[in-house]
Amino acid sequence: MSDSVASLPSPRSAADVFWDDSRPPLWFNPSPFLSPVFDSESFISDLLRTFVPFDTLRSELRSHVTSLNSELLDRINRDYADFVDLSTKLVDIDATATRMRAPLLELRDEINTFRGSVEAARVARASGLNERYDAAVAREVLESSLEAFRVVSKVEKLIQEQQDGASTRETQSMVLERIASELSRIKFYMDHAQNLPFIENLEKRTQSASVLFDASLRHCFVVGLNKRDSIVIYNCLRAYAASDNIKNAEEIFRATIVAPFMRKVIAHEAYDGTSGDELENDYRQIKLFIAKDCEMLLEISSNDKSGLHVFNFLANSILKEVLSAIQKVKPGVFSPGRPTEFLKNYKASLDFLAHLEGYYPSRSAVTKFRAEAICIEFMKQWNVGVYFSLRFQEIAGGLDSSLVFIQDSDSDKQSSPTLMLRQSVTLLESLRSCWKEDVLVFSAADKFLRLALQLLSRYCNWVSSAVNARKSNASLTPGCEWVVSATAEDFVYVIHDVNCIVSEVRGDYLGHISHYLSSCPSEVLDVVRKSILQGVESLQNVLPLVKKTIIEVIVDKSVEELSQLKGIAATCMMSNKPLPIRHSPYVVGLLRPLKAFLEGDKARHYLTHETREELLLGTLTEMTRRYYELAAGRLSDARKTETYLQKTRKNAQKRAGAAASGVADHNESGTEKMCMQLFLDLQEYGRNICALGLNPADIEPYCSLWKCVAPPDRQNKISV
């Protein structure tokens, strides 16, 4: 191919000049292919991570391979002569390789020899270092054993001097603190030299010394407590802290100082001679005891600079002994079976805990006190859940027992002078009981709030269920029997009491709850207010139903007079009766029950003017509607009857012959007489409505009845 001639490239178009498709895209960089550490998987994953489609990558790689093959062919064609002459220039290659093999083998042997000597030196050095480490460890163990022996001997000597009693209490306490530090050192040394016969023998001496030390420290601490020697107490506490024997110090203080006092204070009978399980007086004396006999110890142990904050005498000494004494002597205080005494003792206990928390210097210390096991155990003794259940039965049961029948609250006037029904008085008393100081437990405030809402709902259901049962004539549920004999005046009491309860709950009652829960977050207060207002709104929504019931009761009495419409129809159908000129007597009695109700003392005193006007309009509308339905029905029946009689009369005339057929009947028909009578009655009824202060034309059923019975020339204008 030496004589091959490269063909000239074809002319390039304008598009090829400005857009070269042969160039790879910017994201494809072939330079990594030349790297000796090229990794195909990493190369592909990097491109795929930059959102290069796999098909595009595969196409570009194939294009690159084609380009490389093309370039290789170009190179071979260009340097073909040199490529052919390459094999002819490689002369005597085997001889050259043989001459180079000998020095290379010699160099390899020298390198292997040097490597062996270096490895031997490394092993020898490592062995020496291991021997040095073992020697250091053995030396450390030996020194620890010797130091432990020396310290044990020193501790035994100090304890012996301590038992001789030649020094003062203050000196003894200082020596005991020193012994405690030495015993801690012994423990450290023995931990570093375990499983040695020497240490095992030394451990017996250490245990014996520890027993003597504990006895001496206990005696010194007790003497310091009894003598109120602050220096001795301080040194002894440091000794207990150094020996990590915190619980022993707290137990000694409890048994020596606290327990004797508790046996005197917490007894079946108080100092004033009254028996019972009240704790308030006991706590008062305990507080004085803490301030007088324990405050010095508490100040020493709570001082940040003393390093004695590990002690918790308030919880593990004082509170522990208080709980133990109460459980032994007065276990009845924890029983919620007597709710009043239980709550009094519970609140006194909370106040006592708050008094103990006042001795702690920081909030974190208070949190630690509350997390102590004895504090948690103390709070578990007070079963607030059972207490609330008893209060729930007491409060809710009292309301349920009162919701039996309507009864005036004459016996309860002093407790609630504005309410008229005993049920309403009981409801308000029950609502107030939920938030009384001698009933409410703050930790169960959510439960008492729920109880208050349930009381409102129970009263609301009592009213609505009774009214609905009366309206539907359904079987009465227990507690609703009163509605059968209830009068309109009884329902006046219900309206009055509901309005009073709504006003009270929205005002003073809600304000009292908000004040009691003032320490809660604003979000909680908003939820409480909304829930109470929602409960009150549900109670207020019962009022329209009660007002409708009053209207029905009054209308039922008034409609009894309308039974005379039957006689009017019979009278008007008589042919010999003239056209009526006066209203019927029954009209006077139609509004008599309504007037009696509105003029009664209960309606005037316990209903607002707006409510009376609402009841007046509602009653007249309902009564006129029934009046219209009954009158229109009677008139329709009369017209049917008259039509039948006319047909019968005509048939009789046909049978009688022609002579009778010429006789004309110029008398008014029975229907006309009845319409005139009903029109006169309706006019009188309208005049009675006007006497009550209303315009009959404003009552839609009245207008309908007027158009039904008025003469044709008077139907468009109502005039009474």
Side-chain angles (χ1 to χ4, degrees):
M1 293 181 62
S2 59
D3 57 349
S4 63
V5 179
S7 61
L8 295 175
S10 60
R12 302 178 66 185
S13 64
D16 294 335
V17 173
F18 292 99
W19 185 264
D20 188 2
D21 291 337
S22 63
R23 297 181 62 185
L26 296 177
W27 53 265
F28 185 76
N29 183 16
S31 60
F33 296 154
L34 304 177
S35 175
V37 293
F38 171 73
D39 185 7
S40 59
E41 294 183 359
S42 300
F43 179 78
I44 294 174
S45 62
D46 291 341
L47 291 177
L48 294 178
R49 194 179 300 112
T50 57
F51 304 103
V52 176
F54 183 77
D55 294 338
T56 303
L57 176 60
R58 180 176 57 187
S59 176
E60 189 60 35
L61 289 174
R62 288 177 176 175
S63 299
H64 183 66
V65 171
T66 303
S67 175
L68 291 177
N69 291 332
S70 177
E71 185 179 355
L72 179 60
L73 291 175
D74 292 341
R75 292 290 181 90
I76 293 175
N77 290 333
R78 186 182 61 189
D79 301 326
Y80 183 73
D82 295 337
F83 181 75
V84 173
D85 294 339
L86 180 63
S87 60
T88 60
K89 293 180 181 181
L90 298 177
V91 180
D92 200 13
I93 296 299
D94 294 337
T96 303
T98 302
R99 289 196 303 269
M100 295 180 63
R101 182 177 292 110
L104 291 176
L105 293 175
E106 183 180 356
L107 178 61
R108 185 181 63 181
D109 294 339
E110 292 177 357
I111 292 174
N112 289 335
T113 302
F114 179 75
R115 180 182 295 173
S117 61
V118 171
E119 180 65 19
R122 187 191 66 79
V123 172
R125 183 174 180 81
S127 177
L129 291 176
N130 290 334
E131 291 177 359
R132 175 183 287 184
Y133 175 77
D134 294 339
V137 171
R139 180 177 180 180
E140 183 179 355
V141 172
L142 180 59
E143 290 178 351
S144 298
S145 302
L146 294 176
E147 186 65 21
F149 177 79
R150 186 186 66 80
V151 174
V152 169
S153 301
K154 183 179 179 181
V155 167
E156 291 175 342
K157 181 180 179 182
L158 292 174
I159 292 175
Q160 185 62 38
E161 294 177 356
Q162 181 75 15
Q163 291 179 343
D164 293 340
S167 58
T168 61
R169 288 196 308 270
E170 183 175 340
T171 304
Q172 291 178 356
S173 63
M174 295 175 63
V175 173
L176 289 172
E177 180 185 356
R178 183 180 174 187
I179 294 174
S181 300
E182 298 296 340
L183 287 175
S184 299
R185 290 178 59 194
I186 293 175
K187 183 178 180 182
F188 173 78
Y189 293 142
M190 295 181 68
D191 289 340
H192 284 71
Q194 295 180 352
N195 302 325
L196 293 178
F198 177 77
I199 295 299
E200 292 178 357
N201 294 331
L202 195 62
E203 187 175 359
K204 298 179 180 179
R205 295 174 57 188
T206 303
Q207 293 177 354
S208 177
S210 298
V211 172
L212 295 175
F213 165 74
D214 291 339
S216 300
L217 182 57
R218 177 186 179 88
H219 174 73
C220 186
F221 186 47
V222 170
V223 172
L225 292 174
N226 292 329
K227 300 296 184 180
R228 298 187 181 181
D229 192 330
S230 60
I231 298 177
V232 173
I233 294 175
Y234 174 76
N235 292 332
C236 290
L237 291 180
R238 286 181 59 87
Y240 277 115
S243 60
D244 195 19
N245 201 359
I246 310 300
K247 296 297 181 182
N248 198 7
E250 295 171 344
E251 183 63 24
I252 291 173
F253 176 69
R254 183 184 75 85
T256 304
I257 304 298
V258 182
F261 177 80
M262 295 301 170
R263 286 193 291 268
K264 297 178 182 178
V265 173
I266 300 180
H268 287 288
E269 295 185 357
Y271 289 136
D272 55 3
T274 59
S275 60
D277 290 335
E278 294 185 0
L279 296 177
E280 187 175 1
N281 184 55
D282 297 341
Y283 285 139
R284 188 183 303 112
Q285 297 182 61
I286 294 173
K287 292 176 184 178
L288 295 176
F289 161 73
I290 295 174
K292 180 181 178 182
D293 297 337
C294 305
E295 190 167 2
M296 180 182 65
L297 176 67
L298 298 177
E299 290 179 353
I300 294 174
S301 60
S302 62
N303 190 351
D304 293 337
K305 297 181 180 180
S306 65
L308 301 176
H309 56 277
V310 294
F311 294 96
N312 198 342
F313 292 104
L314 287 170
N316 298 321
S317 298
I318 297 176
L319 183 59
K320 183 177 181 180
E321 183 59 31
V322 169
L323 175 59
S324 176
I326 294 175
Q327 289 175 333
K328 291 179 181 178
V329 181
K330 297 182 177 182
V333 300
F334 299 122
S335 174
R338 294 181 296 173
T340 303
E341 291 78 5
F342 175 85
L343 180 61
K344 187 176 181 181
N345 290 323
Y346 175 68
K347 290 188 174 182
S349 299
L350 293 180
D351 178 73
F352 176 68
L353 290 180
H355 180 79
L356 295 182
E357 292 175 356
Y359 283 95
Y360 289 97
S362 62
R363 183 173 299 179
S364 59
V366 173
T367 304
K368 182 180 177 182
F369 168 74
R370 294 176 181 176
E372 289 285 349
I374 188 62
C375 188
I376 297 175
E377 180 66 22
F378 183 78
M379 291 304 300
K380 284 183 178 179
Q381 304 301 314
W382 306 96
N383 198 332
V384 179
V386 176
Y387 167 78
F388 172 76
S389 299
L390 295 176
R391 287 298 193 187
F392 181 92
Q393 296 174 6
E394 174 187 339
I395 297 174
L399 178 62
D400 283 338
S401 62
S402 67
L403 300 180
V404 178
F405 56 89
I406 289 289
Q407 180 178 349
D408 294 354
S409 61
D410 294 337
S411 60
D412 301 319
K413 288 294 184 181
Q414 294 181 355
S415 60
S416 182
T418 59
L419 298 177
M420 302 308 301
L421 299 178
R422 182 173 61 87
Q423 290 80 1
S424 304
V425 174
T426 305
L427 170 64
L428 193 56
E429 290 178 349
S430 300
L431 290 174
R432 290 171 177 170
S433 296
C434 293
W435 300 93
K436 290 172 66 175
E437 289 291 336
D438 56 351
V439 174
L440 178 64
V441 176
F442 188 82
S443 59
D446 58 328
K447 297 181 179 179
F448 280 96
L449 173 63
R450 192 180 300 111
L451 173 57
L453 297 177
Q454 290 173 340
L455 294 174
L456 287 172
S457 177
R458 179 68 181 89
Y459 184 86
C460 179
N461 290 335
W462 171 69
V463 176
S464 59
S465 299
V467 173
N468 290 328
R470 181 187 184 280
K471 181 179 179 181
S472 60
N473 294 324
S475 58
L476 299 175
T477 58
C480 298
E481 295 83 359
W482 60 272
V483 76
V484 177
S485 59
T487 63
E489 287 75 11
D490 293 331
F491 291 105
V492 168
Y493 284 161
V494 175
I495 293 177
H496 170 266
D497 286 2
V498 168
N499 287 327
C500 291
I501 292 171
V502 169
S503 177
E504 172 69 19
V505 173
R506 283 180 173 174
D508 296 341
Y509 186 74
L510 183 56
H512 174 73
I513 295 176
S514 300
H515 176 73
Y516 189 86
L517 301 177
S518 58
S519 60
C520 297
S522 58
E523 295 82 2
V524 175
L525 293 178
D526 291 339
V527 172
V528 172
R529 293 191 188 97
K530 289 180 181 179
S531 60
I532 293 178
L533 293 178
Q534 185 177 359
V536 171
E537 184 179 358
S538 300
L539 180 59
Q540 201 171 16
N541 291 337
V542 179
L543 290 178
L545 190 60
V546 179
K547 294 175 183 178
K548 187 175 181 181
T549 303
I550 293 178
I551 293 173
E552 292 175 352
V553 172
I554 298 175
V555 171
D556 288 343
K557 288 185 178 181
S558 301
V559 170
E560 295 175 359
E561 299 291 337
L562 294 177
S563 60
Q564 300 182 30
L565 286 176
K566 186 184 236 184
I568 293 175
T571 302
C572 292
M573 296 305 295
M574 298 174 63
S575 60
N576 59 349
K577 287 289 182 180
L579 195 68
I581 58 174
R582 293 177 57 83
H583 64 79
S584 302
Y586 77 88
V587 179
V588 180
L590 280 178
L591 298 182
R592 187 178 294 116
L594 177 59
K595 293 180 180 179
F597 171 78
L598 294 175
E599 295 175 358
D601 293 338
K602 295 181 180 180
R604 286 188 292 107
H605 287 89
Y606 301 117
L607 293 180
T608 63
H609 176 73
E610 293 77 8
T611 303
R612 290 199 301 272
E613 291 294 324
E614 182 182 354
L615 290 175
L616 174 61
L617 179 60
T619 303
L620 290 175
T621 302
E622 176 64 20
M623 185 161 55
T624 307
R625 183 187 65 79
R626 295 195 190 182
Y627 189 9
Y628 166 71
E629 291 176 353
L630 188 58
R634 295 297 182 188
L635 187 59
S636 177
D637 293 342
R639 285 172 177 167
K640 293 179 182 179
T641 302
E642 187 175 26
T643 301
Y644 174 76
L645 292 176
Q646 287 179 353
K647 290 182 179 180
T648 303
R649 190 180 298 116
K650 287 181 180 181
N651 293 332
Q653 289 177 352
K654 290 180 180 180
R655 288 193 299 270
S661 62
V663 180
D665 187 5
H666 299 288
N667 295 329
E668 291 80 2
S669 66
T671 303
E672 293 175 347
K673 294 178 184 178
M674 187 173 182
C675 285
M676 179 57 66
Q677 184 63 63
L678 291 176
F679 176 69
L680 295 174
D681 295 346
L682 187 61
Q683 281 187 311
E684 179 63 18
Y685 180 66
R687 284 189 288 270
N688 293 336
I689 292 176
C690 291
L692 293 175
L694 293 181
N695 185 3
D698 296 335
I699 303 176
E700 183 178 353
Y702 187 90
C703 298
S704 301
L705 184 58
W706 180 276
K707 292 179 181 180
C708 183
V709 300
D713 58 338
R714 302 187 62 178
Q715 286 187 356
N716 295 328
K717 184 179 180 181
I718 297 177
S719 59
V720 296

